[in-house]
Amino acid sequence: MTKTIFEKHSPGRKGYTLPPLDINAAPAGCIPDKFRRQQALRLPEVSELDTMRHFIELSHMNHFIEKGFYPLGSCTMKYNPKLNESLLGNCGWSDLHPDQPESTVQGALELMFELQNDLAEISGLDAVTLQPVAGAHGEFAGLKIMHAYHLAKGNHHKTKIILPDSAHGTNPASCTLAGFEVVQLKSDERGMVDLEALKAIVDDNVAGFMLTNPSTLGIFETQTAQIAEVIHGVDGLMYMDGANLNALLGVARPGDIGFDVMHFNLHKTFATPHGGGGPGSGPVGVRADLVRFLPVPMAARRDDGSYFLDYAHEATSVGKLHSYFGNFAVNARAYIYIRMLGATGLRRVAENAIINANYILRRLEKHFLVPYPQTCMHEFVASGDWQKKKHGVKTLDIAKRLLDKGYHAPTIYFPLIVSEAMMIEPTETESKQTLDEFIEAMIEIATEADENPDMLKAAPHSTPVRRVDDTRAVRQLDVRFVT
Ligand SMILES: *Cc1c(COP(=O)(O)O)cnc(C)c1O
């Protein structure tokens, strides 16, 4: 273990040189004695180099995409082009203030306008708002739009949203927050929507259907046209959770396959480094007759080519969902990413994301149970059931052992409908060599489970902190630094 910064402390050492003080120090009595520090603060005295090494060492104790493979299912932890950061670091962008007069921010408005249009084209929907700042926030916005649609038609009895049990966890939460009642639909043995079961529960109180597509099982729902027929039959609306649109880019458009409303997760599909839970962007796209319910303002273009913030449908809008115009810098990264890749590049994103996931699936299915073994989309779900039944090795143990081998663990114990689940998403940015190394590490772990299960149950062995007591950490959180 390397030394902490307190252990590197050496009295008198410092990392700065200041000119001698040429003003009078605070006159006596200026700060009352009771507010003065009685003892010198115990700070480490170190050089600039010591300080830099301290923070770099700390950062390396963590895992990040520039350090290693990060197959965290449903989160799309992909490499993000550094070009985005250098372009946005330009003061022409970074010094903008949202209260500036429109005439001085024409470039920013143009970017927003074009991004709205690009996302509309990619999704096959008619208009897009950039205001929501997370996937879940987009869901809430979309559901509020559906609510406004029904209110405007006098459909007061429409209180229910149907969603399959393979939905992302935010879907039922958003429905409840938006004031709807959730009706869960059990998936069939292929992990798809059971059409007969759906028909059996649909009635006039259904406001809409919400589908995570691809589902949390990494499966593309092929029956969306039939589902839409049933739902539209009772004047319900079709919502698609498009957080993982990287599987569909340039291949299938939600608007063409039966959906009326969807959200994007720009921070998954279209670049933006994830960290500390944000920031994100969850734009919402809708079909033409729902545009009047979108949050205002929208970016718009006048006939003379100038851009402005359009509040025209304020009276029918669901209202404002965020201060100003959403997370502008995340939206700008998405715009750069889309324009850098172009139409063919975006399609290749989807193709590579899908090929990478299927490559891992096929090579691991002899070693780990894969409960839904059909061709997957950008991710798939394996299970630790074989290892658990034979050796008592749980998915948690497998995940912890991966840390020893230099990998971030996949998403585990989600989705809930697969026992001992491991949700693996390689993303499109990883090479075959990296995938092969990860596959070898997983196969090694399967062998270790056969030969030395106790070692796995005690993993990780090489991380700065060994296995933490999750339950105690939640109840008695203590984040103090103790030397
Ligand atoms: C990540 C994700 C969400 C939620 O997005 P946040 O930005 O974390 O709120 C919703 N649905 C799916 C399918 C997701 O993968």
Side-chain angles (χ1 to χ4, degrees):
M1 183 78 183
T2 45
K3 285 189 173 160
T4 69
I5 194 146
F6 288 95
E7 290 159 342
K8 287 178 186 160
H9 163 88
S10 170
R13 186 169 292 163
K14 54 184 182 155
Y16 60 88
T17 328
L18 295 177
L21 198 62
D22 63 355
I23 53 163
N24 291 332
C30 171
I31 298 171
D33 262 359
K34 63 174 177 179
F35 294 130
R36 286 177 182 260
R37 199 187 300 285
Q38 301 305 321
Q39 279 163 350
L41 197 60
R42 201 176 134 256
L43 288 175
E45 292 176 61
V46 288
S47 69
E48 179 175 320
L49 184 57
D50 290 334
T51 312
M52 290 309 299
R53 287 188 178 149
H54 167 70
F55 285 110
I56 297 290
E57 271 162 26
L58 279 188
S59 75
H60 279 247
M61 287 181 186
N62 219 330
H63 193 87
F64 43 97
I65 195 73
E66 285 87 356
K67 181 179 173 187
F69 186 48
Y70 208 141
L72 195 65
S74 197
C75 293
T76 314
M77 303 303 291
K78 68 179 170 194
Y79 183 68
N80 285 294
K82 294 298 169 261
L83 179 66
N84 286 356
E85 309 311 314
S86 73
L87 289 178
L88 286 167
N90 182 316
C91 62
W93 296 114
S94 60
D95 291 354
L96 288 181
H97 192 281
D99 277 335
Q100 272 177 242
E102 265 168 25
S103 63
T104 67
V105 291
Q106 285 293 301
L109 292 174
E110 180 177 0
L111 184 151
M112 288 169 61
F113 178 78
E114 293 202 350
L115 180 60
Q116 288 170 188
N117 290 346
D118 287 354
L119 293 175
E121 184 179 341
I122 288 167
S123 63
L125 289 162
D126 293 294
V128 172
T129 169
L130 303 176
Q131 216 175 87
V133 293
H137 200 198
E139 291 170 25
F140 181 73
L143 287 157
K144 278 297 182 197
I145 290 166
M146 290 162 69
H147 183 239
Y149 166 84
H150 288 307
L151 269 190
K153 293 186 93 175
N155 287 344
H156 297 287
H157 54 290
K158 292 204 173 282
T159 52
K160 296 195 280 189
I161 302 275
I162 300 176
L163 41 100
D165 56 5
S166 58
H168 191 267
T170 49
N171 295 181
S174 299
C175 288
T176 307
L177 269 180
F180 288 109
E181 185 190 326
V182 175
V183 182
Q184 206 186 67
L185 182 66
K186 213 168 147 4
S187 302
D188 67 12
E189 69 286 351
R190 301 162 306 159
M192 302 272 228
V193 167
D194 183 335
L195 269 181
E196 293 314 309
L198 174 68
K199 286 180 191 158
I201 57 170
V202 165
D203 60 25
D204 198 37
N205 297 329
V206 169
F209 184 83
M210 191 173 191
L211 186 75
T212 302
N213 196 24
S215 70
T216 56
L217 297 167
I219 296 170
F220 180 72
E221 176 57 64
T222 54
Q223 315 162 102
T224 53
Q226 290 97 311
I227 300 169
E229 206 182 310
V230 175
I231 299 298
H232 289 153
V234 294
D235 196 17
L237 293 169
M238 290 282 287
Y239 185 103
M240 190 178 112
D241 176 340
N244 297 312
L245 201 69
N246 44 333
L248 270 56
L249 282 182
V251 183
R253 303 198 311 164
D256 296 341
I257 58 174
F259 293 97
D260 311 305
V261 188
M262 73 164 282
H263 81 266
F264 306 77
N265 271 34
L266 299 190
H267 49 295
K268 288 176 183 170
T269 307
F270 299 103
T272 279
H274 306 4
S281 181
V284 172
V286 295
R287 70 175 199 213
D289 62 329
L290 301 174
V291 176
R292 66 198 181 105
F293 302 119
L294 287 175
V296 284
M298 308 272 292
R301 185 164 58 192
R302 296 190 188 88
D303 289 342
D304 68 1
S306 64
Y307 296 89
F308 68 107
L309 291 166
D310 186 355
Y311 288 84
H313 63 266
E314 192 162 16
T316 50
S317 159
V318 294
K320 217 162 178 338
L321 288 162
H322 195 262
S323 56
Y324 295 116
F325 324 115
N327 272 332
F328 180 81
V330 179
N331 294 336
R333 282 181 180 84
Y335 179 75
I336 299 168
Y337 191 72
I338 290 170
R339 291 306 170 106
M340 199 159 66
L341 287 168
T344 44
L346 289 179
R347 189 186 165 99
R348 285 193 60 211
V349 165
E351 289 168 351
N352 287 331
I354 294 170
I355 287 170
N356 282 358
N358 279 283
Y359 180 67
I360 301 180
L361 189 167
R362 291 299 161 231
R363 285 203 52 204
L364 285 186
E365 65 185 343
K366 289 186 279 304
H367 306 275
F368 296 90
L369 172 66
V370 178
Y372 299 93
Q374 67 259 53
T375 303
C376 67
M377 298 296 284
H378 62 299
E379 66 189 356
F380 70 98
V381 180
S383 160
D385 262 359
W386 289 349
Q387 284 71 20
K388 189 175 175 187
K389 289 211 177 91
K390 264 208 262 171
H391 311 292
V393 169
K394 294 188 293 232
T395 278
L396 183 68
D397 305 322
I398 297 170
K400 295 292 183 194
R401 185 64 180 146
L402 271 172
L403 307 183
D404 278 336
K405 296 179 187 287
Y407 296 102
H408 194 282
T411 299
I412 55 173
Y413 298 105
F414 186 81
L416 304 177
I417 50 177
V418 172
S419 72
E420 297 297 317
M422 291 182 271
M423 191 190 212
I424 300 175
E425 176 179 8
T427 83
E428 72 277 5
T429 54
E430 298 294 344
S431 67
K432 179 171 178 296
Q433 285 80 356
T434 303
L435 303 186
D436 282 334
E437 285 160 18
F438 172 73
I439 290 162
E440 288 312 318
M442 286 294 286
I443 295 173
E444 267 169 38
I445 293 174
T447 311
E448 287 168 356
D450 290 335
E451 293 171 356
N452 193 355
D454 288 341
M455 184 274 289
L456 279 190
K457 290 175 199 170
H461 300 275
S462 62
T463 50
V465 177
R466 298 282 301 274
R467 198 173 293 205
V468 290
D469 180 342
D470 297 338
T471 320
R472 224 183 88 208
V474 171
R475 303 246 160 94
Q476 302 169 16
L477 185 67
D478 181 359
V479 293
R480 277 175 310 168
F481 184 91
V482 186
T483 45

